[in-house]
Amino acid sequence: MVRKKSSFILCGAFLFVAWNALLLLYLWGRPPMGHLGEGGGAEPGGKEEWGMVRGKGGQVNLAGEVIRLAEEVEIQLDTQKKLLKQIESHRAVWARQKEIGKKQTDNIKEVNQIVDQQQNNPVPLINDVYVGDQGEIKHTQRSVATVAAGSNIERHQATDVKEEVAEDNKVTASVSGPQVIIPILVIACDRVTVKRSLDKLIQYRPSQELYPIIVSQDCGHAETARVIGSYGEKVTHISQPDLSDIRVRPEHRKFQGYYKIARHYRWALNQVFHTFSQSTVVIVEDDLEVAPDFFEYFRALYPILRSDPTLWCVSAWNDNGRDALVDSSKADLLYRTDFFPGLGWMLLKEMWDELEPKWPSAFWDDWMRQPEQRNGRSCIRPEISRTITFGRKGVSLGQFFDQYLRYIKLNTEFVPFTKLDLSYLLKEKYEEKFKEVYSAPLVKIEDLQQGGSLRGPGPYRVQYSTRDSFKVFARNLGVMDDLKSGVPRTGYRGVVSFLYRGRRVFLAPPEGWSQYDTSWS
């Protein structure tokens, strides 16, 4: 087909050149068309012939006419050269498009065959399918199907079945594939300082196509809207349409802001997942600044979150991430935690489909920490935070900011997470390693504070057994002492890990811990 098109194009070009040559010969030998009138127009009976120059004795200046015709021929030849070049370039493009189209057709057929096989298989195999840079089809097995043929092919939810990840449980970034789009949802209201957050996101973003930034604004604040609008096509600006007050109980009138935030979150997440048809999202607020490897962090952890049913979020935040409490030499260290951290976190569409029907009218983050929502699942959090908050003023009136949040350390070292083996975060492997907590020597808090009798960097274990003992030890060791639904901040199976005066410490319940006590909140 391509050869036939090529022959047709060349034949057309030849006819075009031949026709122009005949036209030029006709113009050369044509009779006079009229005369120049006194007014300079071509009028019959005028004193001068149109286009002819008479020399002395009334003779036509043939040399001038030949020059004029030669110039016209030269112009026509230049035009024809340009046309031939355009035809040649278009011919190559058409041939390339035909080849890509053929590959994409073959890819779609293969995708359909995979889906048919999954539907007919009593124990479905779940696959990621995507098109590579050269139009080739690639696919990898995972637990929840996301089928993508090309960058914009619709993702189909195939099944809810969870499978083991790879032969040796080794999960790398390749599982997600290069075409997975991870949008960033920025929740904004009336802070013009959203510029600081957007500047860093855009500065560190490796690809606008793979990481579209959606800024959802509540409050209708005109100056903030102008700041967001100044970024043009670098971000997508959407506005929450319902700005009305929410009817609340009289004793909750002072919490009106919390009700509006919950309403905004619900609307914005529905926009991302239903209007924009995305399969995942990373949520940040307008007072967060991100680290240089923020995007790398979430790209690498997406396949872990997608593959492990005991996880329900990935967070960039460490509640106990103050400089003195973290190991600066271990920027690549990650943990599982039973405490929902928020402050820059990834959510899958499947999880939103579970949460949205029962979404609360206010205090959504504490609601997320309730056992009914957590359902025994954990999040992933870093040793060193990939976000910091600079927003002291807000609906929380600066709660915890002056005492804790302003001192959180932001990671500055780029960690190539997508090249690391992060399979240790999968529950089975993590639980095996976690047993080492109770192999650590049990010490008293006084031993840590005095330090004279301790040798080496640890780890050491401090044991609490009641709510009050936990709060006393936490305050004395400098970590956050509040609990939500009985879960301490950063805790996993009740254990809080941090540095104290350069030594690794596990603040832990007795061995044999079984569950959190919600009465501790």
Side-chain angles (χ1 to χ4, degrees), residues 91 98 113 225 282 448 458 462 466 470:
R91 184 169 67 98
K98 177 179 174 61
Q113 290 173 359
V282 175
L448 287 172
V462 174
T466 65
F470 170 80

Side-chain angles (χ1 to χ4, degrees), residues 384-405:
I384 305 176
S385 285
R386 264 59 186 185
T387 57
I388 57 168
T389 176
F390 54 84
R392 183 181 184 277
K393 294 182 179 180
V395 293
S396 62
L397 302 177
Q399 183 184 19
F400 295 129
F401 185 86
D402 292 330
Q403 187 177 1
Y404 294 104
L405 302 183

Side-chain angles (χ1 to χ4, degrees), residues 188-193 217-219 221 224 286:
C189 181
D190 58 357
R191 290 190 180 109
V192 294
T193 50
Q217 186 188 359
D218 199 2
C219 308
H221 191 248
T224 302
D286 56 0

Side-chain angles (χ1 to χ4, degrees), residues 292-483:
D293 58 355
F294 175 85
F295 295 93
E296 175 81 358
Y297 175 79
F298 284 107
R299 170 68 57 181
L301 288 170
Y302 171 82
I304 299 285
L305 177 62
R306 178 64 80 180
S307 302
D308 190 340
T310 67
L311 291 171
W312 71 319
C313 87
V314 174
S315 175
W317 178 258
N318 177 1
D319 279 293
N320 290 315
R322 292 194 295 165
D323 202 352
L325 300 176
V326 298
D327 189 342
S328 298
S329 68
K330 295 185 177 179
D332 61 340
L333 183 58
L334 307 177
Y335 300 84
R336 294 174 70 106
T337 176
D338 298 325
F339 189 90
F340 171 72
L343 295 176
W345 55 289
M346 176 184 279
L347 176 72
L348 299 177
K349 182 181 183 299
E350 294 84 358
M351 187 55 60
W352 178 243
D353 290 341
E354 175 188 322
L355 297 174
E356 195 272 342
K358 54 181 181 176
W359 189 251
S361 56
F363 310 109
W364 69 268
D365 47 351
D366 283 343
W367 175 84
M368 290 275 287
R369 292 162 183 149
Q370 294 174 359
E372 294 80 8
Q373 279 65 252
R374 191 171 68 82
N375 198 23
R377 294 170 293 203
S378 304
C379 293
I380 295 173
R381 59 96 176 172
E383 170 78 359
I384 305 176
S385 285
R386 264 59 186 185
T387 57
I388 57 168
T389 176
F390 54 84
R392 183 181 184 277
K393 294 182 179 180
V395 293
S396 62
L397 302 177
Q399 183 184 19
F400 295 129
F401 185 86
D402 292 330
Q403 187 177 1
Y404 294 104
L405 302 183
R406 66 183 300 178
Y407 301 108
I408 297 293
K409 176 182 174 63
L410 180 67
N411 180 63
T412 57
E413 175 188 347
F414 186 93
V415 177
F417 283 111
T418 56
K419 295 179 173 61
L420 303 180
D421 179 8
L422 303 180
S423 64
Y424 68 90
L425 293 166
L426 296 169
K427 185 179 176 71
E428 186 176 343
K429 283 192 173 184
Y430 197 86
E431 290 286 325
E432 193 64 31
K433 186 73 174 175
F434 189 76
K435 293 177 182 177
E436 296 178 3
V437 168
Y438 290 95
S439 300
L442 183 62
V443 299
K444 296 180 178 180
I445 190 172
E446 293 80 10
D447 297 331
L448 287 172
Q449 291 173 330
Q450 296 168 6
S453 61
L454 301 180
R455 296 289 181 268
Y460 298 100
R461 178 166 52 98
V462 174
Q463 182 170 296
Y464 69 89
S465 55
T466 65
R467 174 183 180 273
D468 290 339
S469 63
F470 170 80
K471 293 181 79 68
V472 168
F473 292 158
R475 288 171 187 164
N476 280 275
L477 295 171
V479 298
M480 296 186 76
D481 66 342
D482 63 320
L483 304 104

